[in-house]
Amino acid sequence: MHIQLSWEDPITEEQQEPIFPLPLAFGRDLSQLPSRWQGQEVSRAVFTSREVSRYHALIYCSENGQVIYEDRSANGSRINGKKIRQARQVLTGGEVVQFGPYNVTVSLVASADEDPDATLLTRAHRGTPTLLLEPPTDLIRPDTRTPIDIPPPSTVVFAPEQIVDSRAAGEFPPPQLFQAEHISLAALRATGLPVEESEYLALGGGIGSFVWVDTLRIHGVKPEQIRVISIAQKPYERYERLLNNCQIPRWKRIRSGSDSCPDNIWGWPGYALREAWRSFFSGRVLEALGFLWQVFSEPLLADTYTPRAGDVFTAMDREAARIGWEQMLCYGNIRAIRKTEDGRYVVAYSATRAGHTDHRFRVAKYVHLATGYPAIKLLKDLQEFREQTGDLKSVVHGYEPHSHVYEHLEKHGGTVLIRGFGIVASQVMERIYEARKVNPRISVVHLSRSPKSGNRFGRAKRAVENHWEFQPYNWPKATWGGDLRAMLEAATPLERRELLELWGGTTTASRRKWRRAVQEGLQQGWYSILFGKVEKVELDNKGKPVTYIQGTHNNTQVKVEADFVIDCTGLVSDPMTNPLLNDLISHYHLPLNPHGRLHVSNDFELVEMRNREGRMYAAGIITLGGPYAPVDTFLGLQYCAHRSVEHLVRVRAPGTKTLEGIGSLWQWCKWALNLKP
Amino acid sequence: MTPTLIGRWQTRIFLLSTVGVLASLPFYFGLTGHGGSFTYFWVLLYVGLFGCGWDVIYNYLMGYMWDHDWPGVLQLLAGIWEGLFLGTVLMVIGLPYIPTQDFYLVDFILHYGFVWVGIYLSSWVVMRILFPRWRFRGGEWLGKWPHSPS
Ligand SMILES: Cc1cc2nc3c(=O)[nH]c(=O)nc-3n(C[C@H](O)[C@H](O)[C@H](O)COP(=O)(O)OP(=O)(O)OC[C@H]3O[C@@H](n4cnc5c(N)ncnc54)[C@H](O)[C@@H]3O)c2cc1C
């Protein structure tokens, strides 16, 4: 008999589903877990939270074939919500076992029909060949890492640069040349391809690159010294595409603070003040006061203020023109990054456009890497469904275009199954609420692995209502600049992981409108929440996707027939799934943090990439799990930019000046007057 | 805002000794109330001294909020509470350099209110514009980022 534990990683939001042969011992401290029990070899799993005991519990098969959960902990466990401590209980499969911050669903699998893919996760998980879920005590060093292959493309098309990449592969960058640790400029020139040079180079050209370049410009660097390589014209291009897909057009509000302004490094005036200003002079005085009241009293007395997407983009356009973004932008697909022999970096990129191949190199001394999300992935069972049926219409991801779902529902009515409880799920719910005004014959089944009770940290508890967990932004606010930021930076990699587990998880913003939709839906019966773990999704004879769910009691099975299934779980942040990053990490043996993301210093430097005077930095989701929690947010990206540029000032990088006091005020005045920095 | 304790202290001291002093000048020169007096600066000092103590309590209370956040409305309540407390102490027992017979309630309310509004508004504006680091360091404007080990 084997046991499968499944849960969602609270930080990366990835599904974890390792399978262990019984008996299984788990706890916080590997050395406290027995390796043998009653003559049998024991599988061991380590969960790092301090709320888990050193040796928390043992799960074994009794003589009469029952599976027994034996709690041995100080704080106890909860099985389907019922507390047990220092006691035994029979498991029949499907139960949700809660210990510390973890909510783990247990499934019993006969050894024979074990899913070969499922164990893969465990092996990939820090490279232990046995079924041992052992977290590293520190950074993951390259020599202990098993190579992870780039997974086959998902059916969700997300990164156009990767598609072009695979089509135009071949002999660029020249494989022989790019095998070296350090490449000489002479060798680059000998290829006959153009070799361009600049002092600073931003890779990606999304919002992360934009705020870095903006910060550099305001710290004194001239546009001639900076180049940006991207396939996007506008810095918010990919972001806007994702917003559109998850039903947020320009006039809708995003999930961001008033002072998270990618167009203004000081955060003043924030979007609330600017919007209040505009409303006031358009004669809408009450509305203007409303915005000010929101920023004054949020989140205690009012919903948190958030700006409209369109206002953020307009402001970025203005700033882009001010700092000369287009002048610095080079169109291209980034293929590979290497160190050069003269203490710099070379980036091989392809500016190929239809019908005309154009391969180039660009050499720079200071490089910033912000390529955003590596991929979007469907939940495994949904991906299987799409592969088997070829049906890309009835099972969709919230981040891919899926307006046809709402059009169909408005015309014909129907049932939607939603997976995931984050911000995208809220948006989808809002959209369905609108659709119900056109056609009330629409119902929603919302699937959750386990009931939510709200994370705790110190004296505080996160708010929960109807199993939706609320938090204004995706991390507690003090992680951007308050005491939680300081605490995380001071912690060791493993302590960071623990803190992030307590602060993370899927949450949504508490907006009155959304909460009312959920409340009404529950009361009127068109919205229901179902608990359990999905076993499979299949096409029934009416051509609809049917989801088979293992309930939380006694291995019961529930079947949900729906017209559409919408996957509202997160995006993939594993850098190994991206060809460019995979190559960089493998080639230079870069260490990863305990979440398998790029390890950066507190200044966001990739320290192992240092090349004499040359420095390389990273920002965004690819650094998740490091010294700073909200890396994938506007303000977080500005923080990354701020730290790395202050670091550049310290190493006296050319053109950079300290920004403080009167100098800072002067730069702000230029911003306000829309003058070049 | 999401301050740290040290950040609260640093910001309070900085703003009282700049904006606070500026806002007290009209009172010192006797433009209002019972004629000019140096007492107004003693009041500033006490606002700072007691305030540093209150900050410890605010910092503790902030731990009850999931976001470890200190929104404007709490800043306002804290300002009212501190004013009430200091006003009562000055009126009933008095403090060194401000004897009760020199204490005029209306003058105190005017002065305290004016200083508080000045400080409140500039904590949103002045600090951010002068110190880009300030908002990422929980209100600490002094000092630089520590050198990270590498
Ligand atoms: C739906 C959604 C809503 C969000 N809402 C908010 C919000 O309200 N507030 C907030 O603060 N944050 C929000 N975020 C998070 C985050 O701020 C954005 O995702 C932001 O765009 C991240 O910026 P980035 O620079 O890291 O990545 P991106 O903006 O995605 O930029 C990366 C760029 O790199 C390019 N690129 C990648 N690889 C290559 C290559 N090999 N060659 C050439 N170019 C390449 C991509 O094309 C892209 O243009 C949201 C995220 C999502 C998905």
Side-chain angles (χ1 to χ4, degrees):
Chain A
M1 182 66 81
H2 287 188
I3 189 164
Q4 181 174 36
L5 304 185
S6 22
W7 71 98
E8 186 179 274
D9 186 291
I11 303 158
T12 60
E13 295 182 24
E14 282 166 5
Q15 304 294 322
Q16 309 284 346
E17 303 194 309
I19 295 184
F20 303 90
L22 290 176
L24 162 72
F26 67 86
R28 172 161 51 95
D29 184 352
L30 184 65
S31 65
Q32 298 291 314
L33 302 177
S35 53
R36 297 195 77 77
W37 179 80
Q38 296 196 345
Q40 302 169 50
E41 197 180 347
V42 177
S43 327
R44 296 178 293 179
V46 176
F47 292 85
T48 43
S49 169
R50 225 165 302 179
E51 291 165 51
V52 176
S53 292
R54 282 169 211 287
Y55 178 8
H56 201 95
L58 178 75
I59 305 175
Y60 60 90
C61 215
S62 70
E63 273 151 26
N64 55 17
Q66 281 181 319
V67 175
I68 311 287
Y69 182 96
E70 183 180 306
D71 182 89
R72 312 173 58 107
S73 71
N75 296 328
S77 319
R78 280 175 189 277
I79 299 182
N80 282 343
K82 277 226 304 285
K83 179 145 188 173
I84 74 161
R85 204 177 139 257
Q86 307 274 348
R88 294 194 184 97
Q89 187 174 327
V90 177
L91 295 180
T92 54
E95 288 91 347
V96 178
V97 180
Q98 205 181 331
F99 48 93
Y102 300 93
N103 269 307
V104 176
T105 308
V106 188
S107 320
L108 306 181
V109 226
S111 314
D113 57 41
E114 183 189 314
D115 173 358
D117 273 356
T119 52
L120 194 78
L121 235 170
T122 331
R123 266 188 272 122
H125 214 281
R126 317 312 162 230
T128 32
T130 56
L131 288 170
L132 166 68
L133 188 79
E134 181 189 357
T137 47
D138 196 14
L139 299 176
I140 306 168
R141 292 289 164 186
D143 43 343
T144 61
R145 190 166 64 216
T146 37
I148 302 174
D149 295 328
I150 303 171
S154 129
T155 50
V156 183
V157 175
F158 163 66
E161 65 274 5
Q162 288 175 24
I163 299 173
V164 181
D165 246 344
S166 50
R167 243 192 290 139
E171 290 301 286
F172 183 76
Q176 281 285 312
L177 188 58
F178 272 63
Q179 255 167 23
E181 280 276 302
H182 294 82
I183 299 179
S184 77
L185 249 66
L188 284 176
R189 297 214 172 92
T191 60
L193 297 170
V195 181
E196 308 149 329
E197 293 177 48
S198 53
E199 206 76 54
Y200 298 89
L201 181 59
L203 302 179
I207 296 177
S209 301
F210 181 77
V211 297
W212 188 70
V213 170
D214 191 38
T215 311
L216 268 182
R217 291 283 286 112
I218 293 170
H219 279 73
V221 182
K222 300 271 166 284
E224 305 79 61
Q225 297 173 285
I226 310 174
R227 285 295 171 270
V228 182
I229 304 182
S230 178
I231 50 164
Q233 258 303 311
K234 299 273 184 196
Y236 50 79
E237 203 166 298
R238 187 197 264 179
Y239 174 63
E240 186 173 18
R241 192 163 69 232
L242 289 172
L243 279 187
N244 272 325
N245 292 348
C246 62
Q247 309 304 310
I248 310 179
R250 283 198 171 205
W251 55 269
K252 273 199 160 179
R253 295 185 184 275
I254 57 177
R255 188 193 195 182
S256 208
S258 168
D259 53 2
S260 294
C261 321
D263 66 299
N264 173 313
I265 64 166
W266 300 271
W268 195 86
Y271 292 123
L273 190 57
R274 300 187 212 175
E275 199 171 353
W277 183 269
R278 283 195 303 271
S279 300
F280 186 80
F281 288 103
S282 319
R284 298 188 302 274
V285 178
L286 275 183
E287 189 185 81
L289 290 176
F291 295 134
L292 296 181
W293 167 249
Q294 265 186 297
V295 272
F296 174 70
S297 63
E298 69 187 22
L300 291 183
L301 306 179
D303 281 358
T304 301
Y305 172 86
T306 58
R308 288 182 204 279
D311 291 342
V312 175
F313 299 153
T314 312
M316 282 176 76
D317 283 338
R318 172 192 185 263
E319 183 69 354
R322 187 177 85 93
I323 63 171
W325 177 254
E326 282 189 9
Q327 176 188 345
M328 297 179 272
L329 195 62
C330 311
Y331 170 82
N333 258 303
I334 305 152
R335 294 288 181 72
I337 305 166
R338 293 289 182 269
K339 297 179 183 175
T340 61
E341 283 181 353
D342 65 354
R344 293 188 286 171
Y345 307 92
V346 55
V347 174
Y349 72 104
S350 150
T352 300
R353 300 199 196 238
H356 151 76
T357 314
D358 183 356
H359 291 157
R360 295 162 175 268
F361 298 111
R362 182 166 277 279
V363 178
K365 196 161 168 192
Y366 306 101
V367 174
H368 184 256
L369 183 67
T371 46
Y373 292 99
I376 299 185
K377 203 170 76 183
L378 275 170
L379 288 165
K380 200 168 132 240
D381 50 275
L382 298 180
Q383 173 70 14
E384 278 168 9
F385 173 88
R386 280 168 65 143
E387 278 165 12
Q388 279 160 14
T389 61
D391 174 357
L392 305 184
K393 290 279 171 199
S394 47
V395 167
V396 294
H397 197 289
Y399 283 119
E400 67 181 335
H402 64 280
S403 319
H404 66 274
V405 171
Y406 309 105
E407 284 156 19
H408 178 101
L409 289 172
E410 284 174 357
K411 254 193 226 131
H412 310 286
T415 307
V416 184
L417 181 74
I418 301 182
R419 311 263 301 259
F421 273 76
I423 193 84
V424 186
S426 303
Q427 298 288 358
V428 166
M429 271 297 283
E430 181 178 340
R431 183 67 188 80
I432 292 176
Y433 190 73
E434 295 303 317
R436 286 195 84 260
K437 290 182 186 157
V438 180
N439 187 339
R441 284 174 303 125
I442 302 174
S443 56
V444 179
V445 180
H446 204 159
L447 189 62
S448 172
R449 200 181 274 276
S450 56
K452 295 268 177 69
S453 50
N455 279 15
R456 282 176 182 284
F457 179 71
R459 295 186 290 282
K461 181 173 175 297
R462 190 152 66 196
V464 183
E465 186 181 275
N466 297 317
H467 304 284
W468 291 77
E469 266 194 272
F470 295 123
Q471 184 167 276
Y473 314 116
N474 56 347
W475 293 93
K477 204 170 167 192
T479 56
W480 272 266
D483 57 343
L484 302 182
R485 185 208 64 77
M487 194 186 287
L488 189 69
E489 181 168 316
T492 64
L494 211 60
E495 287 165 354
R496 283 175 181 172
R497 178 185 163 117
E498 243 179 76
L499 289 172
L500 292 172
E501 277 176 359
L502 292 172
W503 302 336
T506 315
T507 60
T508 193
S510 157
R511 296 190 194 161
R512 226 154 279 177
K513 202 167 150 198
W514 292 347
R515 288 166 57 187
R516 201 185 48 216
V518 166
Q519 203 63 41
E520 260 180 51
L522 285 169
Q523 271 161 13
Q524 298 167 359
W526 56 266
Y527 171 72
S528 57
I529 303 177
L530 199 66
F531 299 102
K533 178 175 168 277
V534 171
E535 288 182 331
K536 59 180 184 238
V537 183
E538 280 177 352
L539 211 58
D540 70 358
N541 46 22
K542 281 176 268 170
K544 293 182 177 178
V546 183
T547 306
Y548 293 87
I549 300 155
Q550 180 188 38
T552 49
H553 287 86
N554 285 335
N555 251 338
T556 46
Q557 202 183 48
V558 188
K559 211 172 102 178
V560 181
E561 190 193 281
D563 297 275
F564 297 101
V565 179
I566 307 182
D567 180 352
C568 296
T569 57
L571 294 146
V572 177
S573 51
D574 186 348
M576 296 308 270
T577 59
N578 175 294
L580 172 70
L581 301 174
N582 189 311
D583 168 72
L584 182 74
I585 294 168
S586 319
H587 195 80
Y588 288 105
H589 307 289
L590 301 185
L592 302 179
N593 68 32
H595 291 96
R597 309 299 180 254
L598 282 173
H599 169 63
V600 288
S601 74
N602 295 345
D603 300 306
F604 290 86
E605 188 189 350
L606 292 169
V607 179
E608 281 70 14
M609 282 305 288
R610 261 194 200 175
N611 192 12
R612 286 191 265 163
E613 302 280 283
R615 295 282 183 280
M616 191 163 165
Y617 301 90
I621 193 80
I622 52 178
T623 65
L624 183 71
Y628 193 68
V631 282
D632 182 42
T633 62
F634 301 162
L635 187 56
L637 290 165
Q638 283 185 312
Y639 174 81
C640 300
H642 168 84
R643 288 298 301 256
S644 51
V645 171
E646 292 242 319
H647 193 236
L648 284 169
V649 172
R650 210 159 61 212
V651 300
R652 301 212 170 80
T656 56
K657 289 194 281 277
T658 313
L659 188 74
E660 196 165 24
I662 301 300
S664 176
L665 173 64
W666 176 233
Q667 280 297 334
W668 182 85
C669 292
K670 286 186 166 177
W671 176 86
L673 298 171
N674 203 11
L675 301 174
K676 299 211 174 319
Chain B
M1 216 210 121
T2 53
T4 60
L5 182 56
I6 313 248
R8 281 175 188 271
W9 287 339
Q10 286 191 9
T11 302
R12 185 185 282 269
I13 293 168
F14 179 84
L15 288 176
L16 277 173
S17 51
T18 53
V19 180
V21 168
L22 277 179
S24 303
L25 286 179
F27 295 89
Y28 170 68
F29 289 117
L31 299 184
T32 55
H34 292 78
S37 135
F38 196 76
T39 318
Y40 293 107
F41 293 114
W42 289 116
V43 170
L44 278 193
L45 182 77
Y46 288 120
V47 172
L49 276 182
F50 284 115
C52 287
W54 293 123
D55 280 340
V56 177
I57 296 177
Y58 302 152
N59 190 59
Y60 177 81
L61 291 178
M62 200 172 70
Y64 283 100
M65 314 220 309
W66 174 257
D67 275 304
H68 285 212
D69 176 25
W70 199 248
V73 55
L74 291 187
Q75 238 171 305
L76 175 68
L77 288 180
I80 294 174
W81 160 249
E82 286 178 35
L84 276 178
F85 179 85
L86 188 62
T88 314
V89 169
L90 287 174
M91 200 156 63
V92 179
I93 2 182
L95 285 166
Y97 303 102
I98 316 179
T100 41
Q101 61 271 23
D102 283 358
F103 179 78
Y104 304 103
L105 185 63
V106 176
D107 289 8
F108 174 79
I109 293 176
L110 276 179
H111 172 238
Y112 181 86
F114 192 60
V115 167
W116 190 86
V117 169
I119 285 185
Y120 174 78
L121 292 180
S122 37
S123 73
W124 290 85
V125 187
V126 175
M127 300 307 282
R128 285 164 190 257
I129 292 181
L130 292 182
F131 310 105
R133 235 178 268 124
W134 177 84
R135 61 174 174 157
F136 295 127
R137 294 176 50 124
E140 292 171 40
W141 56 276
L142 271 173
K144 299 226 179 249
W145 294 106
H147 290 225
S148 56
S150 53

